[in-house]
């Protein structure tokens, strides 16, 4: 009998398994993870899984996502029941932010105000969550977690506008501070920080070319290089809070500029761009030259996320790194060694997993689709 996983839902002290099909997302780059599970209809399971029930989805008794049931469907002819929902961060996407000015707070203080009451704490390290997520299988050394200074103040524009959602304010604060935020698998914490690019590779993904003696470990691998939303030059310009007559041009004319090719200060071509492509971002006021440069750099980092992406489809929801032990589950914020012998030039490098989608159906069996960026890639959303 082939290897497989046990996927179940824990709700109100009860355990519901027997799911014949599902799709469960887990990501560190989207604000709320969605899920859908299907099984033969069972009255007891139906009564337990009421709308808005607080549920924990587990794979091999390992927490994957905790959230609320948003919809349930009973198909009488097919004899099936389907439930869908999102993790607890879905509340942050749907609810308006508290109408206070976050300027002057630390990032952690602001996030605690925005995440309450749906998350008990805001932490600056993903170490606990990552250990939890990979399950009971073999683990590699994670190295030191990236340092995020607790007393960093919330960047400017801390005032909430009417109608802004909690997640929108959190997104703006995080982006300007060059950090990400995501929720823990057990729904206890919001993690604010940066991915751990220094950890050792936990997984091996191989796409072998025809005739190779190297065994493949994935069903499919896609390499995407995308410049459609990128620019060879990004210029961000504005003014300070004074006039040229009183203070001179250096105070009032403030601009930041970044180039795709830092060795070409004319039009930024020569690396990814053959022909120049320019973006101008006007802003009304900057606190300093450094403020304008920071905005330009952040805009480039945000767009460069799509510069080089790899997605893989792998069998099962983890890799069995020992013959007799349990699987080490695929998880965001872990590192994999990726080999693509057929690509030109061939790829053999380490990549950071940023999202996982765990699926199961009768045709494909249990599979996981993962999206990855090269380790070292700075991510701002």
């Amino acid at each position: 009998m082939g290897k497989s996983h046990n996927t179940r839902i824990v709700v109100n002290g009860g355990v519901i398994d027997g799911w014949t099909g599902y799709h469960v997302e887990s990501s560190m780059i989207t604000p709320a993870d969605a899920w859908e599970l299907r099984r033969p209809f069972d009255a007891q399971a139906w009564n337990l899984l009421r709308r808005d029930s607080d549920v924990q989805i587990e794979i091999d008794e390992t927490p994957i996502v905790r959230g609320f049931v948003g919809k349930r469907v009973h198909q009488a002819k097919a004899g099936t029941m389907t439930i869908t929902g999102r993790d607890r961060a879905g509340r942050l996407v749907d609810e308006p932010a508290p109408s206070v000015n976050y300027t002057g707070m630390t990032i952690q203080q602001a996030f605690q105000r925005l995440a309450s009451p749906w998350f008990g704490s805001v932490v600056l390290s993903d170490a606990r969550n990552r250990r939890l997520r990979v399950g009971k299988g073999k683990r590699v050394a994670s190295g030191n977690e990236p340092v995020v200074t607790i007393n960093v103040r919330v960047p400017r524009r801390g005032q909430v506008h009417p109608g802004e959602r909690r997640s929108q304010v959190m997104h703006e604060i995080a982006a300007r501070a060059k950090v990400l935020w995501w929720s823990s698998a057990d729904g206890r914490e919001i993690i604010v920080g940066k991915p751990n690019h220094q950890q050792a590779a936990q997984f091996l993904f191989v796409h072998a070319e025809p005739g190779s003696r190297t065994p493949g470990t994935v069903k499919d691998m896609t390499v995407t290089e995308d410049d459609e939303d990128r620019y060879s030059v990004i210029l961000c310009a504005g003014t300070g809070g004074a006039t040229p007559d009183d203070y001179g041009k250096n105070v009032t004319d403030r601009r930041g500029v970044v180039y795709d090719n830092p060795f070409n200060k004319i039009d930024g071509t020569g690396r990814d761009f053959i022909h120049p492509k320019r973006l101008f971002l006007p802003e009304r006021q900057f606190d300093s030259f450094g403020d304008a440069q920071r905005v330009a750099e952040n805009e480039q980092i945000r767009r460069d996320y799509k510069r080089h992406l790899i997605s893989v489809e792998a069998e099962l929801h983890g890799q069995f790194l020992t013959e007799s032990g349990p699987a080490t589950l695929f998880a965001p914020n872990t590192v994999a060694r990726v080999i693509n012998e057929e690509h030109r030039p061939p790829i053999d490098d380490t990549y950071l997993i940023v999202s996982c989608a765990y699926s199961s159906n009768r045709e494909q069996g249990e599979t996981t689709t993962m999206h990855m960026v090269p380790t070292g890639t700075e991510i701002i959303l």
Side-chain angles (χ1 to χ4, degrees):
M1 183 176 178
K3 294 177 179 178
S4 63
H5 299 280
N6 175 31
T7 299
R8 67 183 194 177
I9 291 181
V10 179
V11 54
N12 292 329
V15 175
I16 302 172
D17 51 18
W19 301 99
T20 57
Y22 53 83
H23 181 85
V24 180
E25 298 176 357
S26 178
S27 171
M28 60 187 300
I29 58 173
T30 56
D33 297 327
W35 41 267
E36 176 178 303
L37 297 94
R38 182 180 64 258
R39 56 156 292 151
F41 180 78
D42 177 81
Q44 184 178 6
W46 179 262
N47 291 333
L48 279 172
L49 293 169
R50 297 177 55 192
R51 284 168 294 170
D52 209 37
S53 295
D54 186 347
V55 301
Q56 177 75 67
I57 299 174
E58 298 181 347
I59 296 176
D60 298 340
E61 300 182 10
T62 296
I64 300 299
V65 61
R66 180 184 171 191
F68 300 105
V69 176
K71 182 174 73 172
R72 58 181 187 167
V73 177
H74 173 205
Q75 292 182 291
K77 185 176 181 179
T80 61
M81 56 180 282
T82 303
I83 64 165
T84 61
R86 291 179 298 171
D87 71 357
R88 294 177 70 86
R91 287 296 204 267
L92 307 182
V93 173
D94 294 339
E95 290 188 348
S99 296
V100 299
N101 192 323
Y102 296 91
T103 303
M105 295 184 185
T106 66
I107 292 174
Q108 193 172 26
Q109 289 171 340
F111 269 72
Q112 286 171 338
R113 185 73 177 267
L114 288 159
S116 177
W118 303 112
F119 293 89
S121 62
V122 175
V123 299
L124 306 176
S125 168
D126 191 40
R128 184 196 74 87
N129 181 55
R130 186 170 53 250
R131 287 194 300 268
L132 180 70
R133 281 286 284 101
V134 297
K136 302 173 183 178
K138 181 181 178 181
R139 303 168 185 165
V140 299
S142 296
N144 295 325
E145 292 296 301
V147 175
V148 177
T149 306
I150 261 182
N151 60 358
V152 170
R153 295 288 171 181
V154 170
R156 64 192 181 93
R157 296 184 181 176
Q159 184 65 47
V160 174
H161 301 293
E164 276 193 292
R165 306 298 181 183
R166 293 173 184 258
S167 63
Q168 289 176 302
V169 180
M170 295 166 73
H171 172 87
E172 181 177 359
I173 292 172
R176 289 179 176 273
K178 292 187 177 181
V179 295
L180 302 174
W181 67 273
W182 61 97
S183 59
S184 62
D186 57 6
R188 290 169 48 185
E189 303 168 340
I190 287 289
I191 299 109
V192 180
K194 296 186 177 185
N196 186 344
H197 293 280
Q198 304 304 316
Q199 59 187 301
Q202 177 74 72
F203 306 106
L204 175 64
F205 299 136
V206 178
H207 172 73
E209 60 184 348
S212 173
R213 295 183 178 180
T214 304
T217 65
V218 298
K219 299 180 68 173
D220 195 11
M221 182 180 294
T222 302
V223 180
T224 302
E225 296 177 344
D226 187 352
D227 284 345
E228 290 186 348
D229 198 36
R230 299 179 62 235
Y231 292 84
S232 64
V233 180
I234 296 177
L235 173 65
C236 189
T239 62
T243 66
D245 293 337
D246 294 335
Y247 295 99
K249 184 177 179 180
N250 285 341
V251 175
T252 62
D253 184 14
R254 292 169 176 170
R255 66 187 67 189
V257 60
V258 289
Y259 303 92
D260 181 64
N261 180 2
F263 299 103
N264 180 355
K265 302 293 187 181
I266 298 174
D267 59 17
T269 59
R271 189 179 74 134
D272 290 344
F273 287 90
I274 300 172
H275 310 288
K277 184 182 179 185
R278 304 175 181 90
L279 175 65
F280 174 62
L281 297 171
E283 291 222 9
R284 184 175 60 186
Q285 183 174 327
F286 289 113
D287 296 332
S288 64
F289 277 105
D291 190 27
Q293 184 65 26
R294 176 185 57 79
V295 172
E297 290 173 354
N298 285 4
E299 186 67 22
Q300 183 186 54
I301 292 169
R302 184 181 68 81
R303 294 173 180 272
D304 281 358
Y305 171 76
K306 295 183 178 180
R307 179 177 180 262
H308 179 85
L309 298 168
I310 285 184
S311 61
V312 299
E313 182 184 4
E315 292 184 346
L316 302 175
H317 302 323
Q319 289 185 341
F320 290 83
L321 304 180
T322 59
E323 289 189 10
S324 58
T328 304
L329 299 181
F330 301 130
N333 202 16
T334 57
V335 169
R337 180 186 175 190
V338 177
I339 299 174
N340 189 329
E341 295 180 340
E342 203 170 19
H343 192 72
R344 291 296 178 265
I347 294 172
D348 186 351
D349 211 340
T350 55
Y351 284 73
L352 177 81
I353 301 173
V354 296
S355 67
C356 301
Y358 311 93
S359 300
S360 177
N361 57 59
R362 296 186 186 278
E363 293 75 26
Q364 299 293 325
E366 296 169 331
T367 61
T368 306
T369 300
M370 288 158 279
H371 297 284
M372 299 175 285
V373 296
T375 50
T377 300
E378 192 166 5
I379 305 174
I380 298 178
L381 301 176

